[in-house]
C-alpha cells in the first residue's frame, strides 16, 4: 500500500476516533448507562485495531520518508552580504560570501579593531577567506586578515546559518559568537 494512501486512511481513522470520543464524552456528561459507555469504548478500540490491521504499517525507514520543504521555507545559501556588531569591541563586521556547491569564499572586513593598549585602529582587519559547506546550515572557513598598521591574523571560523536563512552566526575560537544579518 502506498504511503500517501496510508496517511489518508490514518487521517480518516483519526477523525472517526475523534468523533467517537466526543460522543463518548457527551454520553458520560449526560449520565448515560454504563453499558452504552462501555459499548462506545469497545467501538473506539475496534476502529483503532481495525485500522492497524488493515494498514499493517511497517516501521518507517529514512528511505520511506519523503523529505520536501514547504514552499515558504527558503533554500539555504551562505551567499550574500552579512553584517553585524562584534560584541567584544562593538565594531561592525561585514562578510561578503559566495557559495558554489560545497565551496564558500569571500571577504571579511571590520570597521575598527583594538590594540592591546586599547587604542583603536581604523580600518580594522580585512582579508580573503575560503572554506567548505559541512551541512546546509554549517560551513567552516579560514581567513588571512591584515590591518592598516601591518598586524595580521589567521582565523578559522565556523559559520552557522539560521533555518530562516536570515542570520549567520560566526564562532571564532577564544572570542564571543558574532551574529550577522543578511543585507538586502
Amino acid at each position: 500500500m502506498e504511503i500517501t494512501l496510508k496517511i489518508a486512511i490514518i487521517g480518516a481513522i483519526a477523525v472517526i476516533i475523534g468523533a467517537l470520543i466526543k460522543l463518548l464524552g457527551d454520553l458520560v456528561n449526560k449520565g448515560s448507562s454504563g453499558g452504552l459507555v462501555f459499548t462506545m469504548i469497545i467501538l473506539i478500540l475496534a476502529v483503532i485495531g481495525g485500522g492497524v490491521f488493515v494498514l499493517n504499517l511497517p516501521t518507517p525507514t529514512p528511505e520511506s520518508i519523503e523529505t520536501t520543504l514547504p514552499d515558504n521555507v527558503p533554500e539555504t545559501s551562505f551567499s550574500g552580504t552579512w553584517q553585524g556588531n562584534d560584541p567584544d569591541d562593538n565594531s561592525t563586521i561585514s562578510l561578503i560570501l559566495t557559495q558554489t556547491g560545497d565551496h564558500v569564499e569571500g571577504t571579511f572586513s571590520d570597521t575598527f579593531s583594538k590594540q592591546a593598549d586599547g587604542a583603536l585602529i581604523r580600518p580594522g582587519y580585512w582579508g580573503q577567506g575560503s572554506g567548505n559547506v559541512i551541512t546546509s546550515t554549517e560551513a567552516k572557513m579560514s581567513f588571512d586578515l591584515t590591518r592598516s598598521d601591518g598586524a595580521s591574523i589567521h582565523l578559522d571560523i565556523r559559520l552557522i546559518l539560521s533555518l530562516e536563512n536570515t542570520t549567520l552566526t560566526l564562532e571564532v575560537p577564544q572570542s564571543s559568537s558574532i551574529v550577522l544579518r543578511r543585507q538586502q
Side-chain angles (χ1 to χ4, degrees):
M1 187 180 301
E2 212 173 298
I3 190 79
T4 308
L5 180 59
K6 287 182 181 182
I7 291 171
I9 292 171
I10 291 170
I13 291 171
V15 169
I16 293 168
I17 291 172
L20 290 173
I21 290 173
K22 171 140 180 31
L23 182 59
L24 177 62
D26 291 343
L27 290 173
V28 169
N29 287 338
K30 292 181 181 178
S32 295
S33 69
L36 188 54
V37 170
F38 180 75
T39 302
M40 288 299 297
I41 292 172
I42 294 299
L43 186 57
I44 292 169
L45 292 174
V47 170
I48 293 171
V52 170
F53 179 77
V54 168
L55 293 173
N56 191 17
L57 291 174
T59 304
T61 63
E63 295 81 27
S64 70
I65 299 171
E66 191 173 323
T67 55
T68 56
L69 293 174
D71 291 340
N72 60 346
V73 176
E75 184 177 324
T76 56
S77 173
F78 291 90
S79 292
T81 301
W82 302 89
Q83 197 169 65
N85 288 339
D86 183 342
D88 291 338
D89 64 10
N90 206 31
S91 63
T92 301
I93 304 285
S94 296
L95 274 181
I96 300 172
L97 301 176
T98 302
Q99 178 181 341
T100 307
D102 287 341
H103 182 75
V104 183
E105 58 186 28
T107 303
F108 177 104
S109 64
D110 192 1
T111 53
F112 64 84
S113 62
K114 290 184 180 179
Q115 289 182 318
D117 64 3
L120 298 181
I121 302 290
R122 292 182 189 270
Y125 286 102
W126 181 93
Q128 302 291 319
S130 65
N132 293 307
V133 175
I134 308 301
T135 69
S136 62
T137 58
E138 181 182 348
K140 291 189 179 179
M141 294 185 71
S142 294
F143 287 91
D144 289 311
L145 307 173
T146 57
R147 201 166 60 184
S148 59
D149 67 350
S152 64
I153 58 171
H154 176 85
L155 288 180
D156 290 317
I157 300 175
R158 180 174 174 232
L159 295 83
I160 303 168
L161 185 60
S162 69
L163 293 176
E164 298 82 20
N165 204 13
T166 57
T167 60
L168 183 67
T169 303
L170 308 181
E171 291 186 351
V172 183
Q174 290 85 35
S175 184
S176 301
S177 293
I178 302 167
V179 178
L180 307 179
R181 300 210 177 283
R182 185 182 291 280
Q183 303 300 298
Q184 299 300 336

